Each structure stands twice: as structure tokens, then as C-alpha cells.
Amino acid sequence: MNERMCALFGVIGPVLAYIFIGAAIASAPWFSWWDNALSDLGHAANRDSAPFYNFGLACAGFLVAIYAVTAFGRHSRYARICLAASAFMLQLVAVFDEIYGTLHMIVSVLFFVFIGIASVVYATEKKSLIAAAASVIGIGSWVLYWAGLYKAGIAVPEIISATAVASWIISSAFRIIWQRS
């Protein structure tokens, strides 16, 4: 598979995640941005939204992992490791849903830690302003949440930080796709 095709996975993966998160939210009239975590959508034992949510995260994690170790890996020497680790953790969030309790919490925290580290490393390695902004936005959303400076469910800093990171992942993929051969 050529580099441009692999780079497409860096676009398709994040977009797919948001499509399936949207489908999960649409199938969950009980979901509230004020009260819930995104992972509440993936509780396989008692949520109709779980197949959408968990399938979407697993597929997105798989595609971003392929991107990280192929096209992105040739583009970024250090951030690729963190991005691959975060993509693997995203798959584990889907596999070990809320039924698994503490294990789910651990892989979820590791996912957000790894995407934060990947953002900082990519911003530093490639002098990427988008990744630097994603780092500030992502970390800021968590700091403000934990400081209690706004009232919302944990889904809010989850979606803010994930979207910020998705912006530089997609941007890096397009940069690889559009580069001259």
C-alpha cells in the first residue's frame, strides 16, 4: 500500500470516530453533555448505543494505528510512537467498555494521556502550530473541568480534547497526501 493511501487512514479514522459517536448519541435520548461521559454510550450491557460507539472507536483506533506506523511514521520519528500508543488505547476503550470498571477507566485515562503527549511531541518535533494549539486546548479543557470552572459532564473535556487532537492528525495526513512525489 502506498504512502498516500496509508495517509488517508489518518483522515478516515478520526472522521469515522465522530460519525459513530454521533450515531451513538442519536440513538441515546438519555445522553446529556451536562451529566455523562462519552463512554456511557458504550456500556454494552444496557445501552442500545454501545454497538455504534464501540465499533466506531475500535475502527478509528485501528485506522489511526495503521496511519501512525506507516505514512505518519515516515513523517514523524517520535510522535508516531505516542500516536500509535493512543490509537491502541482507543481500541482498548472500545474493547474494555464501562462493564470492566477500573480497567476501562485506566485505558481511557491512558488514551487521553497519550494523545496529549503525542500533541506536545508533534508540536515540538515538527514545529506544528496546530498541534501546539491542540495541546493547549486539550490540556486547558481538562484543567478547567477539574478545577470546576465550568459545569458539564466529563464528555465535554473528552470531546474538546479529542477534537483538538483530531485537527492536527487530519492536518498531518493531508500534508502527506498533498506532498509532491
Side-chain angles (χ1 to χ4, degrees):
M1 196 175 309
N2 72 32
E3 186 172 77
R4 286 189 174 141
M5 181 61 133
C6 291
L8 276 175
F9 294 153
V11 175
I12 296 167
V15 169
L16 198 63
Y18 288 100
I19 289 170
F20 278 94
I21 289 169
I25 291 170
S27 72
W30 52 265
F31 179 81
S32 166
W33 290 100
W34 302 105
D35 300 320
N36 294 106
L38 288 174
S39 289
D40 293 344
L41 296 163
H43 194 289
N46 58 10
R47 302 285 191 229
D48 291 338
S49 56
F52 297 114
Y53 185 77
N54 294 330
F55 180 76
L57 294 190
C59 286
F62 178 71
L63 293 174
V64 172
I66 292 172
Y67 170 62
V69 300
T70 58
F72 185 73
R74 291 185 283 278
H75 175 70
S76 173
R77 184 174 182 184
Y78 302 108
R80 69 181 175 163
I81 297 164
C82 300
L83 185 58
S86 70
F88 181 63
M89 288 299 124
L90 184 59
Q91 292 174 72
L92 292 182
V93 168
V95 171
F96 300 118
D97 67 25
E98 284 187 334
I99 291 172
Y100 290 89
T102 302
L103 180 56
H104 173 76
M105 186 194 67
I106 291 168
V107 297
S108 295
V109 168
L110 287 173
F111 165 70
F112 286 105
V113 167
F114 279 126
I115 64 170
I117 293 170
S119 297
V120 170
V121 170
Y122 188 71
T124 304
E125 181 180 10
K126 292 298 187 177
K127 309 294 186 247
S128 169
L129 293 177
I130 295 173
S135 300
V136 170
I137 292 166
I139 293 167
S141 70
W142 285 104
V143 168
L144 294 173
Y145 176 79
W146 290 115
L149 295 177
Y150 66 92
K151 299 290 183 205
I154 200 165
V156 172
E158 288 174 337
I159 201 74
I160 290 170
S161 58
T163 302
V165 171
S167 70
W168 73 256
I169 294 170
I170 292 169
S171 172
S172 70
F174 277 127
R175 181 172 287 128
I176 293 167
I177 291 165
W178 292 333
Q179 73 186 7
R180 293 182 182 218
S181 300

